[in-house]
Amino acid sequence: EDHGNLLSRPRFSLIFSLRDLGWIGDRPGSSSDCPLLYREWARYGAFYKFQPIDLIRKYFGEKIGMYFAWLGLYTEFLIPSSVIGIIVFVYGCLTIEEDVPSKEMCDQHNAFTMCPLCDKTCDYWNLSTACGTARASHLFDNPATVFFSIFMALWATMFLENWKRLQMRLCYFWDLTGLEEEEVSAFETEEEEKLTWKDRTPGYLVNCASILFMISLTFSIVFGVIAYRITLAAALSMSTNGSSKSNVRVTVTATAVIINLVVILILDEIYGVVAKKLTEMEVPKTEKTFEERLILKAFLLKFVNSYAPIFYVEIVVPDSHVSLCVSCPLQCAPGGCLMELCIQLSIIMLGKQLIQNNIFEIGVPKLKKLFRKLKDDRSEQKESHSDPSKQPQQWELDYVLEPYTGLTPEYMEMIIQFGFVTLFVASFPLAPVFALLNNVIEVRLDAKKFVAELRRPDTVRAKDIGIWFNILSGIGKFSVIINAFVISVTSDFIPRLVYQYVYSHNGTMHGFINHTLSYFNVSDFKAGTQPENSPFENEVSFCRFKDYREPPWAESPYEFSKQYWSVLSARLAFVIIFQNLVMFLSVLVDWLIPDIPKDISEQIKKEKSVLVDFFLKEEHEKLKLIENFITRDKQRSRSERKRKRSRAASFSQFYRSRRGSFTSLSSRHSDV
């Protein structure tokens, strides 16, 4: 009977597939001796085992099997990238004592008196106080990060190519190679079929306006956090507490990142609901179209929400200079912007993983299950015919579980993580390590959720992961550009190269810090912006700030110097060379790795050859039958003609023998 007819009756409120305890074995005292999926897959103790993909496919269907196969391959590919990331980090730790710029910054004998970080309340300070930040920045900002960025771009290409190969292998063994896309018209009604493009246009316009509003809201919150940084920095600078003044930058950065994290988590949930409502307004004709449009909207909103604060640190902050002291709190630390980008990325990435795993994926479903169970127990107690000693039926146990809502949240979480791993890996080489640790738990967490926390979903056949592959491919290509700008703009890699090979007198990095600091005449402070009650007021004539500017005694003071244009040209050249080199290598890797495994392609060729031989044999037999039929028809025609000729000959002979009789009879007839 049709599902709609069943649900329309008052006795039915929900229809779902019952679970087979012989497969999952999640109930204590199960009669089955072989709880396959629970024993081999849905336990945290089985984290070191390979996933039983074929068993998952047989129980949950091809679509869910494809997701866990993709997640398993992604987790396996994080192992080599994690090893290389650890090597890059260890290289930074081993070479930190040999880094000349950080030594010069930590040398208290240089006595670089720096300009105040804010107006009026901030005082002059010594560059050596930023020694710890400079040394920590070298752990991530070193020459090895450039090669690691190239490796990660090729890693993303190799991952996608290997997934295509695994996907083809699964399609072959699961008999999906000839599967056509099934479009189920689950949303179309008779009234909706009559809708024209004029009727749908207002919905599309509302969608576009809503998406633009949500993106604007995200950037508004980012600018709000910027205002918070400026306000808090000024407030802490005016504090009489010495420890607060000395830790202004750390306090401002840490609290701003935590605020960004909380906002991202809240907006993620809101954007998911908004994307679903906007997609329903479009009235898509098929379930596949609905799912694709929902994924695109949700990904666009969550992409902007997750990465907007990081783009701010990467692009906006490096362009803020001390020459305008209103923007002083927006500057990076003297050791470089890459350290602040690393802090921002690590807190947001790790915070999202820990909070989503512990609260949204474990805590919330358990609370919903508990509330549903309590509600059902209360309703059962009100019924007079309820028997407390009666064991609950299987459908009653499954009804308490959470409903299955699709794979979109699972894919979205991993895609956003893939973006953190590939887009900004130049600033945080340990990102693959934390992603690997998270995914080892995530695989078993999702397995346990599907086995024990969710109702059994209906099996759906699918030959690929759908639109998610296109999103992954786009992120992989976009990561090349982003990493090029991270290294070029945010890092000090290019300025160091330019200094060493152009401006250094002996080809070393000695004198680099002095080269990057410009002079400012303290008498040029605007009225009311100079430091108040400064103990250095009578001793300081010139202070230094990090930028390439002409000195106050030059013909055009505080204008960009020749060094600035040299570094800018080198940065642009690096972006072009890096992007084209990595793109070429990615295309080369794509060309070298075939999409179909050799054994599968040979097997497919053999099957095609057998099919061709079979069809040729069938055609040959048909042709033989046709030829035999034609031959028999010709023989039949010849024999028929012979019979006709023999009949004509016998008639002619009979006529000649009876000619006289016919003649006399004819004459008699004429006489009559």
Side-chain angles (χ1 to χ4, degrees):
E1 194 170 349
D2 185 69
H3 288 182
N5 295 333
L6 289 173
L7 292 174
S8 62
R9 299 181 179 183
R11 294 284 297 176
F12 292 89
S13 62
L14 189 64
I15 293 176
F16 53 88
S17 301
L18 293 180
R19 303 192 319 187
D20 187 352
L21 298 185
W23 280 84
I24 57 176
D26 65 313
R27 299 278 192 269
S30 175
S31 59
S32 174
D33 295 331
C34 186
L36 294 174
L37 288 180
Y38 186 78
R39 185 186 64 197
E40 300 293 334
W41 182 48
R43 294 186 303 112
Y44 293 110
F47 72 93
Y48 61 91
K49 294 183 179 180
F50 289 100
Q51 298 185 91
I53 297 298
D54 290 329
L55 297 180
I56 299 170
R57 170 248 176 178
K58 288 179 182 179
Y59 186 76
F60 290 107
E62 285 79 3
K63 190 171 185 178
I64 295 178
M66 280 286 179
Y67 164 71
F68 281 103
W70 173 84
L71 180 59
L73 182 68
Y74 172 50
T75 305
E76 291 176 14
F77 258 76
L78 285 173
I79 296 175
S81 60
S82 300
V83 172
I84 302 299
I86 292 174
I87 292 174
V88 171
F89 181 75
V90 171
Y91 171 81
C93 295
L94 295 177
T95 58
I96 192 171
E97 299 297 335
E98 302 173 2
D99 185 47
V100 176
S102 61
K103 283 184 177 180
E104 291 182 348
M105 190 176 294
C106 295
D107 188 3
Q108 297 183 1
H109 298 288
N110 287 329
F112 292 112
T113 302
M114 305 298 292
C115 295
L117 295 177
C118 62
D119 297 335
K120 295 179 67 175
T121 57
C122 296
D123 198 0
Y124 304 102
W125 56 286
N126 199 309
L127 184 62
S128 61
T129 58
C131 175
T133 305
R135 292 173 64 86
S137 179
H138 178 75
L139 300 177
F140 306 100
D141 189 4
N142 56 69
T145 57
V146 180
F147 301 100
F148 187 54
S149 300
I150 298 175
F151 168 79
M152 287 303 296
L154 300 180
W155 173 88
T157 303
M158 293 183 65
F159 165 64
L160 294 177
E161 291 301 313
N162 278 272
W163 166 244
K164 287 192 287 187
R165 290 168 60 86
L166 177 59
Q167 182 176 264
M168 188 62 199
R169 188 180 295 276
L170 294 176
C171 286
Y172 176 77
F173 287 111
W174 292 353
D175 196 20
L176 300 173
T177 52
L179 178 67
E180 297 294 334
E181 295 291 342
E182 298 179 358
E183 295 189 349
V184 182
S185 183
F187 303 96
E188 199 173 75
T189 63
E190 293 181 1
E191 295 181 357
E192 291 165 357
E193 289 178 357
K194 299 177 183 178
L195 295 177
T196 62
W197 65 271
K198 292 183 179 179
D199 301 321
R200 297 177 186 271
T201 300
Y204 292 143
L205 294 178
V206 171
N207 274 355
C208 294
S210 301
I211 291 173
L212 291 176
F213 172 75
M214 294 298 172
I215 294 175
S216 302
L217 176 63
T218 301
F219 283 105
S220 300
I221 293 174
V222 172
F223 291 133
V225 175
I226 295 174
Y228 163 81
R229 289 167 61 98
I230 296 174
T231 306
L232 183 62
L236 291 178
S237 299
M238 291 186 292
S239 174
T240 56
N241 190 346
S243 60
S244 299
K245 277 191 171 184
S246 60
N247 298 316
V248 170
R249 188 174 298 278
V250 176
T251 305
V252 169
T253 302
T255 55
V257 174
I258 292 173
I259 292 174
N260 278 326
L261 174 61
V262 173
V263 170
I264 287 172
L265 293 173
I266 295 174
L267 289 182
D268 271 351
E269 299 300 316
I270 296 175
Y271 287 164
V273 177
V274 170
K276 186 176 181 180
K277 296 295 183 183
L278 293 178
T279 308
E280 291 174 352
M281 289 177 60
E282 295 181 1
V283 195
K285 293 183 177 181
T286 64
E287 188 174 358
K288 179 185 176 184
T289 306
F290 177 86
E291 185 178 4
E292 288 182 351
R293 293 182 181 180
L294 174 62
I295 289 171
L296 284 176
K297 290 181 181 64
F299 172 73
L300 177 62
L301 293 175
K302 293 188 178 183
F303 180 89
V304 175
N305 182 43
S306 299
Y307 303 138
I310 302 174
F311 281 121
Y312 149 72
V313 176
E314 178 189 353
I315 297 174
V316 178
V317 172
D319 291 333
S320 301
H321 299 290
V322 172
S323 54
L324 296 175
C325 246
V326 174
S327 64
C328 291
L330 300 182
Q331 294 180 74
C332 297
C337 289
L338 202 66
M339 190 61 196
E340 185 161 349
L341 181 60
C342 175
I343 295 172
Q344 188 103 354
L345 180 63
S346 59
I347 293 178
I348 292 177
M349 178 181 174
L350 297 179
K352 277 179 65 69
Q353 290 180 351
L354 293 175
I355 295 175
Q356 283 183 343
N357 286 349
N358 295 329
I359 297 178
F360 291 104
E361 292 196 24
I362 298 177
V364 173
K366 287 187 178 297
L367 288 176
K368 289 183 177 180
K369 180 180 177 181
L370 178 62
F371 290 150
R372 186 181 290 107
K373 187 176 181 181
L374 293 175
K375 183 179 178 181
D376 293 339
D377 291 342
R378 290 175 185 174
S379 61
E380 287 178 1
Q381 289 176 1
K382 294 180 181 180
E383 296 180 0
S384 59
H385 61 274
S386 60
D387 185 7
S389 63
K390 183 181 178 181
Q391 292 294 329
Q393 298 295 323
Q394 179 61 39
W395 65 267
E396 294 176 317
L397 296 174
D398 289 352
Y399 182 77
V400 180
L401 302 177
E402 276 292 297
Y404 171 72
T405 57
L407 289 170
T408 300
E410 314 301 332
Y411 272 114
M412 189 67 70
E413 180 186 353
M414 290 296 103
I415 296 298
I416 295 298
Q417 184 202 87
F418 182 81
F420 280 118
V421 170
T422 55
L423 291 175
F424 309 100
V425 72
S427 60
F428 190 38
L430 295 180
V433 179
F434 293 107
L436 175 62
L437 297 176
N438 173 80
N439 286 10
V440 170
I441 302 173
E442 181 72 21
V443 172
R444 308 302 161 178
L445 177 64
D446 287 347
K448 191 171 184 180
K449 182 168 63 175
F450 273 87
V451 166
E453 302 294 337
L454 299 178
R455 295 174 190 148
R456 182 180 181 181
D458 295 332
T459 57
V460 178
R461 303 193 77 192
K463 59 191 302 184
D464 51 32
I465 60 175
I467 197 173
W468 295 111
F469 181 83
N470 298 329
I471 294 176
L472 286 168
S473 180
I475 291 177
K477 292 180 174 60
F478 191 51
S479 67
V480 178
I481 303 173
I482 295 300
N483 280 295
F485 277 98
V486 168
I487 298 172
S488 175
V489 178
T490 312
S491 168
D492 281 340
F493 178 73
I494 299 301
R496 292 187 181 194
L497 283 182
V498 172
Y499 175 77
Q500 184 174 359
Y501 293 104
V502 177
Y503 295 104
S504 177
H505 299 291
N506 52 8
T508 63
M509 292 301 298
H510 291 284
F512 173 74
I513 296 299
N514 185 49
H515 177 76
T516 59
L517 297 178
S518 299
Y519 287 89
F520 185 81
N521 194 335
V522 297
S523 62
D524 293 334
F525 275 121
K526 293 181 181 179
T529 61
Q530 63 270 21
E532 294 181 345
N533 302 322
S534 172
F536 303 97
E537 186 173 2
N538 299 326
E539 302 176 5
V540 178
S541 300
F542 296 94
C543 62
R544 311 293 294 271
F545 61 95
K546 188 176 182 180
D547 203 357
Y548 295 101
R549 301 275 182 165
E550 294 290 346
W553 54 83
E555 295 181 0
S556 53
Y558 308 126
E559 294 292 330
F560 289 120
S561 62
K562 295 180 180 179
Q563 290 87 344
Y564 172 82
W565 299 110
S566 300
V567 172
L568 180 62
S569 301
R571 283 174 168 167
L572 294 177
F574 175 82
V575 170
I576 295 172
I577 295 173
F578 182 90
Q579 178 181 346
N580 286 277
L581 174 63
V582 175
M583 286 293 187
F584 170 75
L585 294 176
S586 300
V587 172
L588 182 62
V589 171
D590 188 4
W591 178 72
L592 291 175
I593 301 177
D595 294 344
I596 304 176
K598 187 176 180 181
D599 57 335
I600 300 297
S601 62
E602 290 178 354
Q603 191 67 23
I604 292 175
K605 287 179 182 178
K606 289 180 181 179
E607 291 181 358
K608 287 183 178 180
S609 177
V610 171
L611 287 175
V612 169
D613 293 340
F614 175 77
F615 287 129
L616 288 177
K617 186 178 179 180
E618 289 288 325
E619 292 295 326
H620 182 67
E621 291 180 356
K622 289 180 181 179
L623 288 175
K624 285 185 68 176
L625 289 174
I626 294 173
E627 288 177 358
N628 293 336
F629 177 77
I630 294 174
T631 303
R632 287 197 301 269
D633 186 63
K634 287 182 178 180
Q635 292 175 355
R636 192 178 300 142
S637 300
R638 289 196 195 99
S639 61
E640 188 68 27
R641 284 196 296 271
K642 286 181 181 180
R643 284 197 299 270
K644 288 181 179 180
R645 283 197 297 269
S646 63
R647 289 176 183 176
S650 60
F651 179 77
S652 176
Q653 184 179 2
F654 173 76
Y655 178 75
R656 284 194 297 270
S657 63
R658 300 290 183 174
R659 179 183 293 180
S661 303
F662 285 125
T663 303
S664 60
L665 182 62
S666 176
S667 60
R668 290 178 186 177
H669 178 72
S670 60
D671 292 342
V672 174

